[in-house]
Amino acid sequence: MQSKMKESDPILEVENLSASTDNLPILKGVSLTIYPGEIHAIMGRNGCGKSTLSKIVAGHPSYNITNGDIKFLGQNINSLEPEERAQSGIFLGFQYPIEIPGVSNLEFLRVSTNARRKFLNKEELDTFDFEELVKEKLEIVKMDHAFLSRSVNQGFSGGEKKRNEILQMALLEPKIAILDETDSGLDIDALRIVASGIKKISSAETGIILITHYQRLLDEIEPNYVHVMSDGQIIKTGGSDLALELEKKGYEWTDNFTQET
Amino acid sequence: MEIIEQIKTSKSIDNQTEIQKICLHKLQSSPLPNPKSELWRLSNKSKFLNFLDYSINEKDPKFDAPYPNTSKSNIRLIIGENCQINLIEKNYSIQHLSEDALVKYIKEQISCFDQNENWSDLLNLSLSCTKNILGLKISGSKIPPIEIFSHASSNALNAKTLVIFLEKNCDIDLLQVNLGKDNSSLSQSTFFCLEENSSVNHGVVSYGENKSNLLNSLNVIQQKNSEYNLGSLHFKFNYARFEISIKQSEGNAKTNIKGMQITKKDEQISTYTKIDFRGPNGFLDQINKSLADDKSHAIFEGSIIVPKIAQKTDASQLSRNLLLSNLAQIDTKPQLEIIADDVKCKHGATISQLNEEELFYMRTRGITLTEASKLQLSSYFQEIISFIPVSKDRWDLLDKLLNEN
């Protein structure tokens, strides 16, 4: 199955990426390639650089790329603005989705969706057409319509915020989704809803990176590859059994690994 | 002294009204505000002198209100133009105050004026001719929303005065719009008297054009069990001052204020509020927002006065400020003066910039930085705009704000 995937071109290539913030090196030569249809999991201790990697791929302005390249669909995107990356199909699901008081969730989703549709040369949706589309997508994450009239993420529970992230992913139809600890703060039922949503949205054309600490998300969504990060580097890559082994042995087991070549 | 000489030369002593004579007399001993006083120390002197630089104009050119389309059910009045109104309906009445009542009320107010604190009112009443003073007595309920316009003329100094009496149990929505013109100065003074159990949702929207100036003062007296809700917005003035004085004359009244000023280029806009509790069980909830960009300067100074008689007062004053440029300046000073010992009073101030993480979040959803900033500003504005009465106009106003240069 994996060789079949690799017949097509990669969606995302991270090549020997080093990055810093305030002159402090965070990533120290990360390489990662995602092909269509692949699901990758990235695991590692807190502070090892997992979230930073996701933010840098999404274009966070606080980080400087000091070496290496990020290629999306074959094009170098190092210098693209975050919105250009998003419009072209890179989605970042936040570990802590941001609350934006006073901005209605419905309008926020509509403006975002239209930005992506414009890039895809699809017709932009007016409020009425968008309502129809969003109603359909709400089903995927089992969210109530009432969430749309509230301010973005304001007053949402942890689980509701994560479902709202997956709703955005469903609307934006990205080529690659990086989901940063989407499972954190979710109870068992919410985790199943979120995981089932991710599975429904993903396809043979898309790639997914799951950043997680726990096996429980990977029980719901089986990854093709599991990467272990430590101190800004990927130190081990394996199949889904690597996550099971980590669960059993803890990160101490990885302490003696060095960066994979 | 120049402004006083100008007023004097603009009309003969015989043509001056009694009020003008009293105010001119008071102004003579204090021809300019004291620049060292708390109320005027931050005021830009050259901009203030520019305010006084224009020649006095009592006649208005034909006025085409550029303000968003009014609803047919609203009552629209323009001070200085044909303001004849005498509505006596089943549920309500709106009538002119008689000249005697108007003069009597204004004279009472003047007798309490402090020459420095009420300098803007003294100037206004020295300038305002009878035609430019609108006095209304309103009673009843289910009153259609009222819009009252004051406007300046280019290359001139205009003064407009509004006096409103709300009779017992009266309930209204009133939107006041002050419009500046190119190179103009507008002096606007408003006096509100709320009788027992009356309630008003009062909106004050002031916006200028190139090099327009505004001195806007608002004096409110609330009798017991009255409720005064003020939503205000000032923007696009070279120089503007909004001076609010509210007296809860017997306590047991409610005041809610949500105000905002937006400054750009090298503009200076300031808001001064003084809330005076003169009886027990008074309530105040106030939020003032400033947004300063470019090289502009926004000022807020608020004082809450709670004397011994005002036990059980519950007052809150918050100043929230957004600084959009490194060269812009915001001065804010909310303050409490409390003598009573059984009260609940709080105040606070914050100054921040646009939230970087909110912006990044929106940008990761494909929204451009410009659009994301607009969305964020729109959320900042909305709390205030939604408090301004006459809802139909709110969104046009928001649109105007967000699309201003």
Side-chain angles (χ1 to χ4, degrees), chain B residues 285-313:
Chain B
D285 185 11
Q286 179 179 14
I287 178 164
N288 191 84
K289 291 188 176 185
S290 297
L291 184 150
D293 201 355
D294 304 323
K295 291 191 274 182
S296 66
H297 187 187
I299 301 163
F300 171 72
E301 289 204 11
S303 76
I304 297 175
I305 297 162
V306 190
K308 197 165 186 182
I309 197 171
Q311 300 293 350
K312 305 275 182 201
T313 294

Coordinates of all heavy atoms in Angstrom, one line a residue, chain B residues 285-313:
Chain B
D285 N -22.1 51.8 35.3 CA -21.2 50.9 34.6 C -20.7 51.6 33.4 O -21.4 52.0 32.5 CB -22.0 49.6 34.1 CG -21.1 48.6 33.5 OD1 -19.9 48.7 33.6 OD2 -21.7 47.6 32.9
Q286 N -19.4 51.9 33.3 CA -18.8 52.7 32.3 C -17.6 52.0 31.6 O -16.8 51.5 32.3 CB -18.3 54.0 32.8 CG -17.7 54.9 31.8 CD -17.3 56.3 32.3 OE1 -17.2 56.5 33.5 NE2 -17.0 57.2 31.4
I287 N -17.6 52.0 30.3 CA -16.4 51.5 29.6 C -16.1 52.6 28.5 O -17.0 53.0 27.8 CB -16.6 50.1 29.0 CG1 -15.4 49.7 28.3 CG2 -17.8 50.0 28.1 CD1 -15.3 48.2 28.0
N288 N -14.8 52.9 28.5 CA -14.4 53.9 27.5 C -13.3 53.2 26.7 O -12.3 52.7 27.3 CB -13.9 55.2 28.1 CG -13.7 56.2 27.0 OD1 -14.7 56.9 26.6 ND2 -12.5 56.4 26.5
K289 N -13.4 53.2 25.4 CA -12.4 52.6 24.5 C -11.7 53.7 23.7 O -12.4 54.6 23.2 CB -13.0 51.6 23.6 CG -13.4 50.3 24.3 CD -13.8 49.3 23.3 CE -14.2 48.0 24.0 NZ -14.5 46.9 23.0
S290 N -10.4 53.6 23.5 CA -9.7 54.5 22.6 C -8.9 53.6 21.7 O -8.4 52.6 22.0 CB -8.7 55.4 23.4 OG -9.3 56.2 24.2
L291 N -8.8 54.1 20.4 CA -8.0 53.4 19.4 C -7.2 54.5 18.8 O -7.7 55.4 18.2 CB -8.9 52.7 18.4 CG -8.3 51.9 17.4 CD1 -9.2 50.7 17.0 CD2 -7.9 52.7 16.1
A292 N -5.8 54.3 18.9 CA -5.0 55.4 18.3 C -4.0 54.8 17.3 O -3.3 53.8 17.6 CB -4.2 56.1 19.5
D293 N -4.0 55.4 16.2 CA -3.1 55.0 15.1 C -2.2 56.1 14.6 O -2.4 57.3 15.0 CB -3.9 54.5 13.9 CG -3.2 53.5 13.0 OD1 -2.0 53.3 13.2 OD2 -3.8 53.0 12.1
D294 N -1.3 55.9 13.8 CA -0.3 56.9 13.2 C 0.4 57.7 14.3 O 0.9 57.1 15.2 CB -1.1 57.8 12.2 CG -1.8 57.0 11.1 OD1 -1.2 56.0 10.7 OD2 -2.9 57.3 10.7
K295 N 0.2 59.0 14.2 CA 0.9 59.9 15.2 C -0.2 60.5 16.1 O 0.1 61.6 16.6 CB 1.8 60.9 14.5 CG 3.0 60.4 13.8 CD 3.9 61.4 13.4 CE 3.5 62.0 12.0 NZ 4.4 63.0 11.5
S296 N -1.3 59.9 16.2 CA -2.4 60.6 16.9 C -2.3 60.4 18.4 O -1.5 59.7 19.0 CB -3.7 60.0 16.4 OG -3.8 58.6 16.8
H297 N -3.2 61.1 19.1 CA -3.2 61.1 20.5 C -4.7 61.0 21.0 O -5.5 61.8 20.7 CB -2.6 62.5 21.0 CG -2.4 62.6 22.4 ND1 -2.0 63.8 23.0 CD2 -2.5 61.7 23.5 CE1 -1.9 63.6 24.3 NE2 -2.2 62.4 24.6
A298 N -4.9 60.0 21.8 CA -6.3 59.8 22.5 C -6.1 60.0 24.0 O -5.1 59.5 24.6 CB -6.8 58.5 22.1
I299 N -7.1 60.6 24.5 CA -7.0 60.9 26.0 C -8.4 60.5 26.6 O -9.4 60.8 26.1 CB -6.8 62.4 26.3 CG1 -5.5 62.9 25.6 CG2 -6.8 62.7 27.8 CD1 -5.5 64.4 25.4
F300 N -8.3 59.8 27.8 CA -9.5 59.6 28.6 C -9.2 60.0 30.0 O -8.2 59.5 30.6 CB -9.9 58.1 28.5 CG -11.0 57.8 29.5 CD1 -12.3 58.3 29.3 CD2 -10.8 57.1 30.7 CE1 -13.3 58.0 30.2 CE2 -11.8 56.8 31.6 CZ -13.1 57.3 31.3
E301 N -10.0 60.8 30.6 CA -9.9 61.1 32.0 C -11.3 61.0 32.6 O -12.2 61.7 32.2 CB -9.4 62.5 32.3 CG -7.9 62.6 31.9 CD -7.1 63.7 32.7 OE1 -7.7 64.3 33.6 OE2 -6.0 63.9 32.3
G302 N -11.5 60.1 33.6 CA -12.8 59.9 34.1 C -12.7 60.0 35.6 O -11.8 59.6 36.3
S303 N -13.7 60.7 36.2 CA -13.7 60.8 37.6 C -15.1 60.4 38.1 O -16.1 60.7 37.5 CB -13.3 62.1 38.2 OG -14.3 63.1 38.0
I304 N -15.1 59.6 39.2 CA -16.3 59.2 39.9 C -16.3 59.8 41.3 O -15.3 59.6 42.0 CB -16.4 57.7 40.0 CG1 -16.4 57.1 38.6 CG2 -17.6 57.2 40.8 CD1 -16.4 55.5 38.5
I305 N -17.3 60.5 41.6 CA -17.3 61.2 42.9 C -18.4 60.6 43.8 O -19.6 60.6 43.4 CB -17.5 62.7 42.7 CG1 -16.3 63.3 42.0 CG2 -17.7 63.4 44.1 CD1 -16.5 64.6 41.3
V306 N -18.0 60.1 44.9 CA -19.0 59.4 45.8 C -18.9 60.0 47.2 O -18.1 59.6 48.0 CB -18.7 57.9 45.9 CG1 -19.8 57.1 46.6 CG2 -18.5 57.3 44.5
P307 N -19.7 61.1 47.5 CA -19.6 61.7 48.8 C -20.3 60.8 49.9 O -20.9 59.8 49.6 CB -20.4 63.0 48.6 CG -21.3 62.7 47.4 CD -20.7 61.7 46.6
K308 N -20.3 61.3 51.1 CA -20.8 60.5 52.2 C -22.3 60.1 52.0 O -22.7 59.0 52.4 CB -20.6 61.3 53.5 CG -20.7 60.4 54.7 CD -20.2 61.1 56.0 CE -20.2 60.1 57.1 NZ -19.7 60.6 58.3
I309 N -23.0 61.0 51.4 CA -24.4 60.8 51.3 C -24.7 59.6 50.3 O -25.8 59.0 50.3 CB -25.2 62.1 50.8 CG1 -26.6 62.0 51.1 CG2 -24.8 62.4 49.4 CD1 -27.4 63.2 50.8
A310 N -23.7 59.3 49.5 CA -24.0 58.3 48.4 C -23.6 56.9 48.8 O -22.9 56.2 48.1 CB -23.2 58.7 47.2
Q311 N -24.1 56.4 50.0 CA -23.9 55.1 50.5 C -24.5 54.1 49.5 O -25.4 54.4 48.8 CB -24.5 54.9 51.9 CG -23.9 55.8 52.9 CD -22.4 55.6 53.2 OE1 -21.8 54.6 52.8 NE2 -21.8 56.5 54.0
K312 N -23.9 52.9 49.5 CA -24.4 51.8 48.6 C -24.3 52.1 47.1 O -25.0 51.5 46.3 CB -25.9 51.4 48.9 CG -26.2 51.1 50.4 CD -25.9 49.7 50.7 CE -26.3 49.3 52.1 NZ -25.6 48.1 52.6
T313 N -23.4 53.0 46.8 CA -23.2 53.2 45.4 C -22.4 52.0 44.8 O -21.6 51.4 45.4 CB -22.3 54.5 45.2 OG1 -23.0 55.6 45.6 CG2 -21.9 54.7 43.8

